[in-house]
Amino acid sequence: MAAASKRSRSAGIPLVLISIVFFLWFTHLVSGNKTYIVYMNPDYKPSVHPTYAHWYSSHLASLSIDPSRHLIYSYSDALHAFAAASLLPRHLRILRRSPAVLHLHPDPLIRLHTTRTPFFLGLSPSSPSSPFRSADAASGSVIIGVLDTGVWPESPSFDDASLPPIPSRWRGHCEAGVDFSPSLCNRKLVGARAFSRGLLAGSGAPGKPPQEYDSPRDRDGHGTHTTSTAAGAPAANASLLGYASGTARGMCTSCRIAAYKVCWASGCFGSDILAGIDRAISDGVDVLSLSLGGGTAPFFRDTIAVGAFAAAERGIFVACSAGNSGPGWGSITNSAPWIATVGAGTIDRDFPAYVTLDSGDRFAGVSLYSGEGMEETLVPLFYDNRNNASRICLSGTLDPANIKGRVVLCDRGVSARVEKGAVIRDSGGVGMILANTAANGEELVADSHLLPAVAVGKIAGDKIRKYIISHQKPKAVLRFGGTVVGVRPSPVVAAFSSRGPNPVTPEILKPDMIGPGVNILAGWSGSVGPTGMPKDARRTQFNIMSGTSMSCPHISGLAALLKAGHQDWSPAAIKSALMTTAYSRDNTGNHVRDAAGGLAATSLAYGAGHVDPQKALEPGLVYDITTDDYIAFLCSLNYTLPHIQAIAKRSNFSCSRRLKSPGDLNYPSFSVIFSGKTKVVRYGRELTNVGAAGLVYEVSVGGPATVGVSVKPSRLFFKQVGQKLKYSVTFVSMRGASAKPPPPPPRTGTTAFGWLTWSNKQHKVRSPIAYTWRM
């Protein structure tokens, strides 16, 4: 699987900056990786073998493939498969000829998708009438498993002072390793494991991972941040070097946490991820949170999709980040319908900073710089618009003679944002203006820079560039405004948040929803500074990061709260509640906007909208989906039976039931595709009453004049709680209508958007609709 998503946007840097030695090691890792994930047909398992692991080992031996040398993982709970390393071409030919082998594929390398949010989401603990008070009180029995870079157990976010004993059903534990004792775990952090066999097999050399803790300890910080976001305990006096000060708390403060370290400096190998999911299922987690993802592939080749299917079948809610490759069209990852795919939006907090020119013009930006300021002294400005490399401030491209004592304007892109500042500082510069180009528009991400620095949008950047070029002695001063709240408008869809349409199954609308993912304060590793750079000697217990990596654990924690409040709800019901109660209006009452371009966002950017946990706890109706429904969906994709069997783990399997179209899955949103002569699309849906008995819901539809929509019946009367009622909806393309359709996005046909809502005085159950006319 190709890695298509970028690193979480803490400072625009790789997972960690590494030495030349590690670079050579990783080059060997990529070029020499011969690890494969092999999916097995359970129908061929002889009864003499007591376990699947025993069968896998025996089968390899029968094929003259030494299991002691090649077998690195045996999976049982997540899938019927094993991971084998150092396989030669002749081994692959033998395995492919074996009737017991369904299919196999190379071990993919997957990337990470790298406090005010509880208040922003309406989870303030000071509200006695909050419906979440009872759910939070019951959430001590809910366990969230986080697959990431591990955990820093000493973080105050993992204090267990107020928690009762660990639930007796919990089967996990904390593994000992380098600088990690099992005694570091407690009633909050109930599990910690590390998985590196895939990483080590890919390196081609035994031993511990270079420059890593060979244990669950988090060297990078990403895992500690996501884990504490999902379920961190309240931590008073939290801040990043004075920014965003207050009490930091996770979404589900009473939930337990189990950390599964599957990601390392070079990324996350699919075999290690599957091992983590397999063990998490066995340990007994209720929610899985994965802030990582690769490229797009059919679901049977997508290790996260395969593992998540098994988890969902066991009643485990799975949330994954959508990716940080926005605003690219069709850049979404983790698009399987049994996964909650989460995009990122802003919150109403910002960290303003300003660039003032000697002309008197002042431009607003953002910064998390915490050192000594520039006072009121105007200093010379420098910008090299004649050299592409120095214009983006790449290492070794700036002449100290030109920039000593100056503030340097750098174009954003190519190298890490904080790294540009380090290059300037090391060359004698005293400050940086980081100016967006067209690729980033007006999106601003604050960073904890090593020198005075302000990030500005493209409009301000262009004006400052013009000023520098047109003046012989341009000067400026940088000022920093600390932390402000109540920012309007918010939320805004982050420009980096990956977008639909769904590249694997266009009939399923993705992302599902957005959550807070920009400038999020949460726990941090004590091993690295806030920038993650080796040059950064600062240490802090909390850090501010941005990315869909940050929005994902928000949804994971909220799902855990819903699970606590409704223990009989399925993962699909929980996702439906979060989606159908989401909102698309910001705090100014206007339509949520897109940071990429500043126009109104669409459901290809935010899915159903921004999550509203208060309403999600009492959604009225839900769209539920069973495992058999997902299998019927897979059968509608024209996959081969072995490919479906590899995902579904079924013996004697056949597609006795298949959906008429993938879009017929009982999903809480609609993606309608008109292509060729197809002018009419019909979908069926079924709603389950999780509210009061005796309520009537009536349907309303909105959208473009170019589509006619009819819903039958238009009125649903739920006599009982738990009652299920079906309806059908017919979409008719009317492209000959007088209304002018919107212009086509790149690489696709025309798109338009609408909604379908079932409502009464108590509830509004809203589903987004995305229309596509293929050329």
Side-chain angles (χ1 to χ4, degrees), residues 445-747:
V445 179
D447 295 311
S448 183
H449 291 282
L450 297 175
L451 83 170
V454 177
V456 298
K458 180 182 182 298
I459 295 174
D462 286 345
K463 292 179 179 179
I464 299 172
R465 292 182 186 99
K466 183 177 179 181
Y467 164 80
I468 297 174
I469 295 170
S470 61
H471 286 69
Q472 286 188 342
K473 295 182 178 181
K475 292 183 178 181
V477 64
L478 310 182
R479 297 185 177 92
F480 305 94
T483 303
V484 298
V485 297
V487 173
R488 297 160 67 92
S490 61
V492 175
V493 178
F496 61 74
S497 187
S498 290
R499 314 302 168 93
N502 188 332
V504 181
T505 49
E507 298 86 353
I508 301 296
L509 180 61
K510 290 285 183 171
D512 292 312
M513 67 201 85
I514 62 171
V518 178
N519 296 333
I520 305 302
L521 178 76
W524 190 242
S525 169
S527 184
V528 293
T531 66
M533 298 176 63
K535 296 178 180 179
D536 191 351
R538 300 170 297 176
R539 294 295 181 266
T540 177
Q541 291 183 321
F542 298 90
N543 199 4
I544 292 173
M545 301 179 74
S546 297
T548 55
S549 279
M550 283 63 254
S551 54
C552 173
H554 279 89
I555 302 306
S556 304
L558 295 177
L561 283 172
L562 266 62
K563 179 75 173 178
H566 301 281
Q567 297 182 19
D568 59 336
W569 281 11
S570 70
I574 292 173
K575 181 165 72 170
S576 173
L578 290 167
M579 290 177 63
T580 60
T581 58
Y583 60 88
S584 58
R585 296 273 173 183
D586 61 30
N587 58 1
T588 69
N590 295 311
H591 197 94
V592 169
R593 306 196 78 75
D594 193 329
L599 301 177
T602 73
S603 55
L604 292 180
Y606 58 56
H610 192 284
V611 65
D612 186 339
Q614 294 278 4
K615 292 182 178 179
L617 194 63
E618 299 174 355
L621 305 173
V622 296
Y623 293 86
D624 208 355
I625 307 175
T626 67
T627 302
D628 288 340
D629 294 332
Y630 286 130
I631 293 175
F633 162 80
L634 290 170
C635 289
S636 73
L637 299 180
N638 296 319
Y639 290 170
T640 66
L641 289 180
H643 287 155
I644 298 174
Q645 196 172 6
I647 302 171
K649 298 199 310 178
R650 294 296 190 271
S651 299
N652 302 312
F653 176 76
S654 66
C655 276
S656 57
R657 175 187 167 222
R658 69 176 70 222
L659 303 181
K660 291 184 297 183
S661 160
D664 257 324
L665 185 67
N666 197 40
Y667 214 65
S669 59
F670 296 89
S671 178
V672 181
I673 299 174
F674 301 113
S675 59
K677 296 181 179 180
T678 302
K679 301 296 183 182
V680 179
V681 175
R682 292 186 178 89
Y683 288 149
R685 292 291 190 270
E686 181 181 77
L687 285 163
T688 302
N689 181 26
V690 295
L695 293 181
V696 174
Y697 288 81
E698 295 187 350
V699 73
S700 59
V701 179
T706 49
V707 180
V709 183
S710 62
V711 182
K712 295 182 179 180
S714 60
R715 187 173 180 268
L716 296 175
F717 176 39
F718 290 92
K719 300 178 181 179
Q720 300 174 347
V721 177
Q723 183 179 359
K724 298 177 183 291
L725 292 177
K726 295 182 178 181
Y727 71 92
S728 64
V729 56
T730 302
F731 306 95
V732 181
S733 174
M734 303 167 63
R735 288 292 295 273
S738 58
K740 182 180 179 181
R747 305 193 306 278

Side-chain angles (χ1 to χ4, degrees), residues 5 7 46 81 113 150 161 168 200 229 235 305 324 386 414 485 498 535 555 631 639 679 748 756:
S5 297
R7 166 74 161 92
H113 289 155
S168 59
L200 295 174
T229 298
N324 296 339
R386 297 167 297 178
V414 183
V485 297
S498 290
K535 296 178 180 179
I555 302 306
I631 293 175
Y639 290 170
K679 301 296 183 182
T748 186
L756 182 153

Side-chain angles (χ1 to χ4, degrees), residues 371-514:
E372 294 183 4
M374 297 180 63
E375 299 179 348
E376 300 299 319
T377 305
L378 290 164
V379 300
L381 279 170
F382 177 81
Y383 176 59
D384 189 352
N385 67 314
R386 297 167 297 178
N387 186 295
N388 288 334
S390 61
R391 185 166 58 198
I392 56 178
C393 302
L394 293 181
S395 179
T397 65
L398 298 179
D399 185 351
N402 291 330
I403 70 170
K404 185 176 181 179
R406 296 173 181 260
V407 170
V408 180
L409 187 146
C410 299
D411 289 353
R412 183 174 168 182
V414 183
S415 62
R417 298 186 301 271
V418 292
E419 185 179 357
K420 296 175 189 292
V423 169
I424 294 170
R425 186 191 65 172
D426 294 346
S427 300
V430 298
M432 175 177 70
I433 301 169
L434 182 63
N436 283 1
T437 61
N440 303 105
E442 297 308 303
E443 176 198 53
L444 296 178
V445 179
D447 295 311
S448 183
H449 291 282
L450 297 175
L451 83 170
V454 177
V456 298
K458 180 182 182 298
I459 295 174
D462 286 345
K463 292 179 179 179
I464 299 172
R465 292 182 186 99
K466 183 177 179 181
Y467 164 80
I468 297 174
I469 295 170
S470 61
H471 286 69
Q472 286 188 342
K473 295 182 178 181
K475 292 183 178 181
V477 64
L478 310 182
R479 297 185 177 92
F480 305 94
T483 303
V484 298
V485 297
V487 173
R488 297 160 67 92
S490 61
V492 175
V493 178
F496 61 74
S497 187
S498 290
R499 314 302 168 93
N502 188 332
V504 181
T505 49
E507 298 86 353
I508 301 296
L509 180 61
K510 290 285 183 171
D512 292 312
M513 67 201 85
I514 62 171

